[in-house]
Amino acid sequence: SRGRKGSDPKVLMGQLEALSKLAERFGPRVEIPVLMHVVTAQFDMQRTIDDYMETPMWRSCAGYIERIGDILSSGEGWTVGPMTAEEEELANDMMMSFMGSKNK
């Protein structure tokens, strides 16, 4: 699993899921990358390639992917591509701000 040594992947997943709900307020430009990070983290929680994802997590993952698909097919012209440096900085700032507020 990824993250700092000694960090609990389930706690990290909970924080990412909370961040994904917060990201809705900032629109698709922020929400889509956050949702993609959540999906990636869900797959990263599987220890080996032979492990299977539990049904509730699989359904959660499918819901996030469906949300991304809904945004992209909304007809508003959204596309997926590499993040610019500005977008990465915005996402990092948002995550750090969120993490700081959770530790208070």
Side-chain angles (χ1 to χ4, degrees):
S1 71
R2 295 184 181 178
R4 269 193 280 181
K5 186 176 183 179
S7 63
D8 184 356
K10 291 182 181 181
V11 170
L12 178 61
M13 182 57 61
Q15 291 172 337
L16 282 170
E17 288 175 337
L19 183 63
S20 73
K21 290 174 182 31
L22 178 67
E24 285 182 55
R25 298 181 195 173
F26 296 93
R29 182 171 170 240
V30 173
E31 185 180 7
I32 290 173
V34 171
L35 291 172
M36 294 178 106
H37 284 295
V38 173
V39 170
T40 299
Q42 287 177 321
F43 278 96
D44 282 346
M45 288 186 68
Q46 307 314 307
R47 296 212 180 264
T48 69
I49 198 164
D50 295 329
D51 283 349
Y52 62 92
M53 196 179 279
E54 297 290 334
T55 303
M57 186 173 290
W58 181 256
R59 288 188 176 142
S60 171
C61 185
Y64 290 121
I65 293 170
E66 185 176 358
R67 173 69 183 142
I68 293 167
D70 289 346
I71 293 169
L72 294 175
S73 63
S74 68
E76 296 180 29
W78 294 104
T79 60
V80 177
M83 289 177 73
T84 65
E86 179 184 307
E87 291 168 333
E88 281 190 48
E89 186 176 333
L90 176 63
N92 287 338
D93 289 349
M94 189 175 145
M95 177 66 134
M96 296 308 280
S97 173
F98 176 75
M99 297 300 285
S101 69
K102 291 291 278 188
N103 292 331
K104 291 182 180 180

